[in-house]
Amino acid sequence: MPLYNALALLLVLAAAFAYLNHRFLKMPPAIGLMVLGLLTSLALVGLARLGVAPVLALARVVGSIDFSALVMQVMLGFLLFAGSIHVDTRRLGKLRWSVGILALIGTPLSVALVGGAMYVLLPWLGLPTPLVYCLLFGALISPTDPVAVLSILTKANIDKDLETKIVGESLFNDGVGVVLFVVLLEVALLGPKEVTVSHALTVFAQEAVGGVALGAVFGLGAAWLLRSVDNYQVEVLLTLALVAGGTALAAQLHTSGPLAMVVAGLLVGHFSRQGGTTSELSQDYVDKFWELIDEVLNALLFVLVGLEALVLPITGRIIGAGVAAVAVVLLARLLAVALPLGLLRGSGLFTPSHRSVPVLTWGGLRGGLSVAMALSLPAEAPRELLVGITYVIVVFSIIGQGLTIGPLVRWLGVAGPAAPRE
């Protein structure tokens, strides 16, 4: 019952906040839900300090939710599959060089830049932190959150090629970031002297290569099954089984579930639109089902991120460190985007627009995934510090960057055609 009560609370709040946002605030759904959740949390924190019994009981319910396990082990696979199945793979294929180099080179570069900068900065703030944990923080905060990007950026009316580039990079650098986080966490737990380069590379290969291979097998297998039937109930069940079973198997094999679900979603989306026995009606049902799953889980996730302020131990010093870290993360993102794209420009493989860099930098949103990874840190880590800094960055990213990305793309002249009025 405690789990049911927690999920019931989230659903009720998500529905209430979605109604209030749509009726009055009229913000993008993800931003509106998080703002309302955050404001509710702050109000409840004040009431909790006054000893209001129902609020204390509510705080216990929120505190009983294992945010990290819920996001990483349950929600993330469904959200990534729902996002990747709708990606235009033809357009993504044309942008493969920029997407690939941003994910494979830009993400590790950002991890190193953020980790090094925080190792120097935190002692100045009276919060000295070992280098390995600074790098671990870099790994959890560097990947842009595909959930936040898909729910906010795709509604900002950006030019389609640039939108595909940002969404595609976000889907893949998420997987790369999670793999780097796993490797660095093992280094932190065992100690740098106990982990050899070959061991670290083996873990990386098992997570990354294994995740891509598993996703390819599941994606191609599911695509073949979907093309052999024309019954939307069966097709929806097959895709559900793919995500649930694939995520569970990835965890058992110690491979990257996020990468597996991204690859599987791209393959299923690509081949299911290539024609065959599946009717347009069945395809429409599958698409609508995953759009609905995406919207419902997004609502739950962003409400949960907002409510986390009720139970996170965030002090004034941590908020100050978080504000400083916002600047560090944005600067690292700028360099991690500009340098790889500069390499592509020099090689002649891809000629990015000079306006791509500011949009990719400011559109690199962080969300619930970063908070989930921070909350999964072990007790021996400076957990409260890193969780608090991560939360400050995520709040700034979703609200500050999310609300201003639309005006930015219009100011830079990279907005797509105006959407028709409903």
Side-chain angles (χ1 to χ4, degrees):
M1 287 304 292
L3 176 60
Y4 177 81
N5 291 340
L7 291 176
L9 172 67
L10 288 177
L11 279 169
V12 169
L13 289 176
F17 291 166
Y19 176 82
L20 292 172
N21 180 60
H22 182 79
R23 189 81 169 78
F24 302 108
L25 297 183
K26 305 199 181 293
M27 291 182 179
I31 300 174
L33 289 169
M34 184 174 169
V35 167
L36 288 168
L38 185 59
L39 292 176
T40 301
S41 291
L42 295 176
L44 292 175
V45 167
L47 292 173
R49 288 180 177 175
L50 296 175
V52 179
V55 175
L56 295 174
L58 180 62
R60 285 193 293 272
V61 172
V62 174
S64 69
I65 300 172
D66 189 340
F67 184 99
S68 179
L70 182 62
V71 174
M72 299 289 288
Q73 298 174 22
V74 181
M75 298 176 73
L76 185 59
F78 287 91
L79 285 164
L80 289 177
F81 185 86
S84 57
I85 197 175
H86 293 114
V87 170
D88 186 338
T89 49
R90 289 197 183 96
R91 196 184 297 271
L92 183 62
K94 295 176 184 176
L95 301 170
R96 62 187 179 278
W97 287 108
S98 58
V99 169
I101 200 168
L102 283 171
L104 296 175
I105 296 179
T107 306
L109 177 59
S110 176
V111 171
L113 290 172
V114 172
M118 295 303 290
Y119 182 65
V120 173
L121 176 66
L122 287 175
W124 281 34
L125 300 173
L127 299 165
T129 304
L131 178 60
V132 67
Y133 288 111
C134 290
L135 290 171
L136 202 54
F137 171 74
L140 68 88
I141 205 67
S142 289
T144 55
D145 191 330
V147 179
V149 169
L150 286 163
S151 60
I152 294 173
L153 208 60
T154 53
K155 295 178 175 64
N157 197 31
I158 297 178
D159 172 77
K160 285 299 177 185
D161 277 353
L162 189 53
E163 176 189 313
T164 302
K165 191 188 303 179
I166 298 172
V167 170
E169 183 232 347
S170 181
L171 287 167
F172 283 103
N173 78 7
D174 158 65
V176 173
V178 172
V179 169
L180 289 172
F181 178 80
V182 169
V183 174
L184 286 168
L185 183 58
E186 184 149 342
V187 173
L189 293 176
L190 297 179
K193 294 181 180 179
E194 300 296 325
V195 179
T196 63
V197 173
S198 62
H199 177 69
L201 289 176
T202 300
V203 174
F204 184 87
Q206 182 179 0
E207 288 280 337
V209 179
V212 171
L214 185 66
V217 170
F218 270 82
L220 291 172
W224 180 80
L225 290 173
L226 291 171
R227 288 165 67 94
S228 66
V229 297
D230 185 18
N231 181 286
Y232 71 85
Q233 294 100 328
V234 175
E235 292 177 51
V236 167
L237 280 173
L238 285 172
T239 54
L240 267 176
L242 162 62
V243 180
T247 303
L249 183 58
Q252 291 297 315
L253 297 176
H254 301 290
T255 61
S256 174
L259 276 176
M261 288 306 101
V262 168
V263 172
L266 289 173
L267 289 172
V268 169
H270 176 75
F271 286 108
S272 65
R273 290 171 174 79
Q274 297 303 304
T277 59
T278 303
S279 66
E280 289 186 9
L281 177 65
S282 292
Q283 184 65 55
D284 187 55
Y285 268 106
V286 173
D287 286 343
K288 289 288 193 296
F289 173 80
W290 282 103
E291 285 175 16
L292 183 61
I293 289 289
D294 193 29
E295 291 295 330
V296 171
L297 290 182
N298 261 305
L300 293 175
L301 177 60
F302 285 103
V303 168
L304 189 53
V305 171
L307 289 178
E308 278 295 297
L310 184 59
V311 294
L312 291 180
I314 301 178
T315 63
R317 179 179 286 190
I318 290 177
I319 291 175
V323 171
V326 166
V328 168
V329 170
L330 284 174
L331 180 59
R333 171 70 179 172
L334 174 63
L335 294 173
V337 167
L339 294 178
L341 289 186
L343 290 175
L344 281 177
R345 186 182 287 111
S347 67
L349 291 171
F350 176 73
T351 305
S353 164
H354 67 283
R355 295 169 180 169
S356 297
V357 172
V359 176
L360 281 163
T361 300
W362 199 249
L365 305 173
R366 275 75 180 180
L369 175 61
S370 292
V371 177
M373 285 195 284
L375 287 169
S376 71
L377 291 171
E380 56 265 34
R383 190 171 179 274
E384 289 189 2
L385 171 64
L386 297 183
V387 168
I389 293 174
T390 301
Y391 193 79
V392 172
I393 293 172
V394 167
V395 169
F396 171 83
S397 179
I398 299 298
I399 299 175
Q401 293 172 244
L403 285 175
T404 55
I405 187 65
L408 176 65
V409 299
R410 289 192 292 272
W411 181 67
L412 290 172
V414 291
R421 292 179 180 271
E422 295 183 357

